[in-house]
Amino acid sequence: MHWLLILLLVSLLVLLLLLVGMKLRTSLKRAGVAHKDPLPALYEVLPDGISVRPRMLLYFYSEHCAACRVVTPLVEALYHRDEGVVKLDVRRHLLTARHFGIKSTPSLVLIEHGRIAGVHVGTINQVNLQQFYEGRNVH
């Protein structure tokens, strides 16, 4: 009789772990970091004229966003030092923003070798932006 109870408890624990794992995968997928799966060919989802590089930082912003007005100069300073930084106005590049699941601005998406390496939503300071771009402060 005890073995039936133990078997039932173990089965419930396994089921609970599976459900938690599925919920976590779903949350990560919505955040745009699902298992760091390869993205579809980036040249298909990025606007024309943007060349794909091994490391890219996609900066999604809106002209009407107050937080974006704080972050944009920092991203522009990084842009002048590295060609892998891409600014994308969500109004002009709505399909690209939708492809990456952007729901809020400012949003930063770090791509390394065709995979999403990190996502940052909200304001960020210059030091953390540089660390994020270098992959040292990736969430």
Side-chain angles (χ1 to χ4, degrees):
M1 187 70 167
H2 287 23
W3 62 273
L4 281 175
L5 184 58
I6 292 171
L7 181 62
L8 179 63
L9 289 174
V10 168
S11 299
L12 288 173
L13 181 61
V14 169
L15 181 62
L16 179 64
L17 289 173
L18 287 173
L19 289 174
V20 168
M22 287 177 19
K23 183 170 176 68
L24 179 61
R25 278 192 301 270
T26 302
S27 297
L28 288 174
K29 190 172 190 177
R30 285 189 186 134
V33 293
H35 305 319
K36 301 190 182 204
D37 288 336
L39 297 168
L42 283 175
Y43 64 86
E44 293 177 5
V45 296
L46 292 177
D48 292 337
I50 296 176
S51 58
V52 176
R53 301 184 178 283
R55 176 184 293 264
M56 296 182 71
L57 180 68
L58 305 181
Y59 171 56
F60 292 93
Y61 71 99
S62 170
E63 294 176 2
H64 304 289
C65 165
C68 296
R69 289 188 208 118
V70 173
V71 176
T72 297
L74 305 177
V75 172
E76 287 175 347
L78 185 61
Y79 169 79
H80 292 299
R81 292 191 310 257
D82 193 312
E83 296 176 359
V85 178
V86 178
K87 285 177 44 183
L88 298 163
D89 185 334
V90 293
R91 286 189 166 183
R92 290 188 206 129
H93 304 288
L94 185 59
L95 294 177
T96 304
R98 283 185 182 164
H99 174 79
F100 285 97
I102 301 302
K103 294 184 180 7
S104 180
T105 57
S107 290
L108 298 162
V109 178
L110 179 63
I111 298 173
E112 292 180 336
H113 303 290
R115 298 175 190 275
I116 295 176
V119 176
H120 179 88
V121 178
T123 59
I124 190 168
N125 64 36
Q126 185 69 42
V127 172
N128 288 339
L129 174 62
Q130 184 67 41
Q131 290 176 348
F132 181 79
Y133 182 62
E134 293 170 358
R136 293 187 287 145
N137 190 14
V138 176
H139 324 310

